[in-house]
């Protein structure tokens, strides 16, 4: 039987490939972006209690009302925007599901979606499955900023969506208020929807404010904003996220969501609703928590031959390896895991056409012991 694949460019993700190589070669895994430390104890106790109390069947499709209320309260507290928990918040099975549902709900065959390279690898397959086209605009290196004139030039009558990501994976770059003003000017008086991937929203450093589109009244009225409990609460394996959008967009989003996953993990929703109400300081303290890890990791690998790029947000450190080897990043990462004993992520898989740079991504959402073990090996190269 011949299968005519709908995703001819898709294979195993680079994250799975590098994690498997890390296991095979007993390498320190700084590749895939997950913490190697546990979620807060009170949160783990809350999910165990929810299961023990019988909260193990289907949750409401759009999310527990108590959790959606907490999300609405947090949104107002953080971004000054009051939203309707009943009509504008949808709980999803992770941010990846939310991104897919948003694209499937809005984008039709023949449409175009502007994405910025390096772009997270789930974006384009979701666009392709709608029969639409991803229009790639490269970010400027090494700042990984957006050239807004190139965006203006790329907009056509077929442009249906612009997909932004801040703090940015893999670079850690963050959008400014001026960037959002530029975006608003471009989409004004059009039918373009903004999809804003903000899963690292609480990991912004040096006292900077995360410039969510929810802070920007004009953009908030035409945007779907995606957030992640897994990134914020150190529990990526629980696969819980959510989307905030105006009621009309949320209604379309929910049509897809109900037939994609219908609902998401009930005990975790109970636990998050409880923990958000009792411990709002967790996400308020997250910038300082991860800034300490960023600074510790940078200090540990400063003596190495890697050149460290700035990290304004997120929990990844980009490093230039050109002083160590002169080869493409995928080949370097294979060499690094096999010969150097550390797993990293190359940037090439995040591009349509990768530039000839010598950059790889290292994750510092790790314990001190893991960072120290990795740094010892990196400094020997």
């Amino acid at each position: 039987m011949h299968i005519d694949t709908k995703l001819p460019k898709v294979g195993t993700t680079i994250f799975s490939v590098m994690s498997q190589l890390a296991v095979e070669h007993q390498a320190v895994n700084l590749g895939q972006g997950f913490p190697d430390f546990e979620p807060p104890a009170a949160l783990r106790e809350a999910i165990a209690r929810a299961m023990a109390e019988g909260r193990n069947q289907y949750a409401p499709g759009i999310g527990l009302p108590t959790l959606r209320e907490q999300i609405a309260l947090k949104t107002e507290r953080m971004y000054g925007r009051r939203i309707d928990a009943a009509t504008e918040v949808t709980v999803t099975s992770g941010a990846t599901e939310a991104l897919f549902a948003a694209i499937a709900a809005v984008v039709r065959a023949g449409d175009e979606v502007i994405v910025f390279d390096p772009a997270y690898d789930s974006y384009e397959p979701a666009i392709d499955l709608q029969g639409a086209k991803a229009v790639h605009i490269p970010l400027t290196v090494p700042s990984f900023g957006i050239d807004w004139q190139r965006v203006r030039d790329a907009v056509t009558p077929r442009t249906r969506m612009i997909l932004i990501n801040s703090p940015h994976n893999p670079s850690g770059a963050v959008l400014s208020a001026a960037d959002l003003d530029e975006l608003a000017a471009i989409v004004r008086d059009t039918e373009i929807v903004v999809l804003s991937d903000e899963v690292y929203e609480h990991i912004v450093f040096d006292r900077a404010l995360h410039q969510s589109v929810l802070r920007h009244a004009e953009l908030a009225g035409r945007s779907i904003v995606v957030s992640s409990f897994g990134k914020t609460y150190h529990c990526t394996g629980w696969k819980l996220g959510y989307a905030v959008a105006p009621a009309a967009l949320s209604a379309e989003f929910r049509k897809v969501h109900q037939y994609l996953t219908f609902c998401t993990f009930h005990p975790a929703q109970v636990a998050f609703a409880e923990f958000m109400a009792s411990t709002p300081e967790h996400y308020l303290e997250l910038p300082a928590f991860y800034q300490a890890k960023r600074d510790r990791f940078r200090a540990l690998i400063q003596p190495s031959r890697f050149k460290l790029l700035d990290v304004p947000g997120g929990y990844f450190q980009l490093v230039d390896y050109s002083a160590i080897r002169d080869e493409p990043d995928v080949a370097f990462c294979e060499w690094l895991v096999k010969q150097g004993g550390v797993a990293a992520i190359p940037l090439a898989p995040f591009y349509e056409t990768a530039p000839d740079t010598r950059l790889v991504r290292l994750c510092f959402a790790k314990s001190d012991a893991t960072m120290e073990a990795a740094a010892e090996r990196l400094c020997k190269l």
Side-chain angles (χ1 to χ4, degrees):
M1 180 179 178
H2 173 70
I3 303 297
D4 188 10
T5 178
K6 297 176 73 174
L7 294 171
K9 294 185 288 185
V10 172
T12 304
T13 72
I14 190 63
F15 309 108
S16 298
V17 169
M18 295 311 302
S19 288
Q20 181 59 39
L21 281 174
V23 171
E24 292 174 6
H25 295 277
Q26 297 183 318
V28 180
N29 191 355
L30 300 187
Q32 196 166 0
F34 60 83
D36 68 348
F37 44 86
E38 294 302 314
L43 182 60
R44 285 179 281 140
E45 291 165 4
I47 194 171
R49 188 165 54 251
M51 287 188 281
E53 293 173 354
R55 308 295 290 275
N56 300 305
Q57 307 309 321
Y58 293 128
I62 61 175
L64 288 182
T66 51
L67 181 55
R68 286 184 282 113
E69 287 289 350
Q70 287 301 319
I71 292 168
L73 288 170
K74 189 193 83 163
T75 300
E76 184 172 8
R77 180 183 298 124
M78 295 296 298
Y79 306 128
R81 182 168 184 81
R82 182 170 296 179
I83 58 174
D84 187 330
T87 62
E88 298 182 309
V89 180
T90 308
V91 179
T92 62
S93 296
T96 303
E97 189 241 313
L99 291 164
F100 186 95
I103 293 166
V106 172
V107 176
R108 294 172 172 80
D111 286 347
E112 295 174 351
V113 178
I114 292 175
V115 300
F116 298 96
D117 287 355
Y120 187 64
D121 67 349
S122 80
Y123 298 164
E124 188 163 15
I127 295 165
D128 289 345
L129 287 171
Q130 314 317 313
K133 177 185 177 183
V135 177
H136 295 262
I137 298 178
L139 298 172
T140 58
V141 178
S143 67
F144 292 89
I146 295 175
D147 181 339
W148 291 107
Q149 187 55 51
R150 291 193 67 165
V151 180
R152 291 185 184 89
D153 295 341
V155 171
T156 75
R158 291 185 178 275
T159 305
R160 179 59 173 154
M161 176 180 282
I162 297 177
L163 204 169
I164 59 174
N165 174 209
S166 179
H168 180 251
N169 177 14
S171 73
V174 299
L175 295 179
S176 67
D179 285 319
L180 296 188
D181 287 341
E182 291 274 11
L183 176 59
I186 290 170
V187 299
R188 189 175 299 137
D189 300 322
T190 73
E191 296 300 314
I192 297 172
V193 173
V194 174
L195 176 55
S196 187
D197 178 351
E198 302 186 17
V199 300
Y200 300 100
E201 62 186 311
H202 298 299
I203 312 177
V204 179
F205 304 132
D206 304 311
R207 299 184 181 277
L209 288 177
H210 169 54
Q211 294 299 328
S212 172
V213 299
L214 294 168
R215 290 188 190 276
H216 196 290
E218 184 178 359
L219 287 177
R222 65 188 315 134
S223 298
I224 303 171
V225 179
V226 172
S227 295
S228 166
F229 287 106
K231 296 294 192 296
T232 299
Y233 294 96
H234 322 315
C235 52
T236 58
W238 293 12
K239 292 301 294 177
L240 217 71
Y242 62 91
V244 174
L249 274 176
S250 286
E252 296 305 308
F253 179 94
R254 290 171 174 183
K255 290 177 183 179
V256 175
H257 166 72
Q258 71 179 341
Y259 293 116
L260 190 57
T261 63
F262 174 62
C263 67
T264 195
F265 187 34
H266 194 164
Q269 292 195 57
V270 176
F272 280 123
E274 177 184 314
F275 192 75
M276 289 179 75
S278 66
T279 319
E281 61 269 22
H282 174 87
Y283 57 78
L284 296 174
E285 294 170 354
L286 210 59
F289 174 83
Y290 273 117
Q291 182 163 334
K293 288 192 173 294
R294 177 199 69 172
D295 295 348
R296 172 67 172 153
F297 185 64
R298 289 172 66 89
L300 285 168
I301 63 173
Q302 193 67 51
S304 75
R305 292 196 289 162
F306 291 98
K307 178 183 176 183
L308 281 63
L309 276 65
D310 291 339
V311 185
Y315 53 46
F316 302 111
Q317 171 71 62
L318 290 190
V319 295
D320 184 322
Y321 61 86
S322 57
I324 300 171
R325 291 175 73 86
D326 184 21
E327 61 186 356
D329 57 4
V330 174
F332 176 79
C333 284
E334 292 174 352
W335 174 85
L336 181 63
V337 74
K338 295 174 183 178
Q339 303 300 323
V342 176
I345 295 294
L347 268 61
F350 292 79
Y351 281 92
E352 179 183 47
T353 303
D356 188 24
T357 59
R358 298 292 182 262
L359 300 174
V360 296
R361 190 194 84 174
L362 301 171
C363 178
F364 56 80
K366 306 296 179 183
S367 66
D368 284 351
T370 299
M371 289 193 285
E372 290 162 6
E376 182 180 1
R377 299 181 183 193
L378 294 171
C379 288
K380 291 178 179 178
L381 300 174

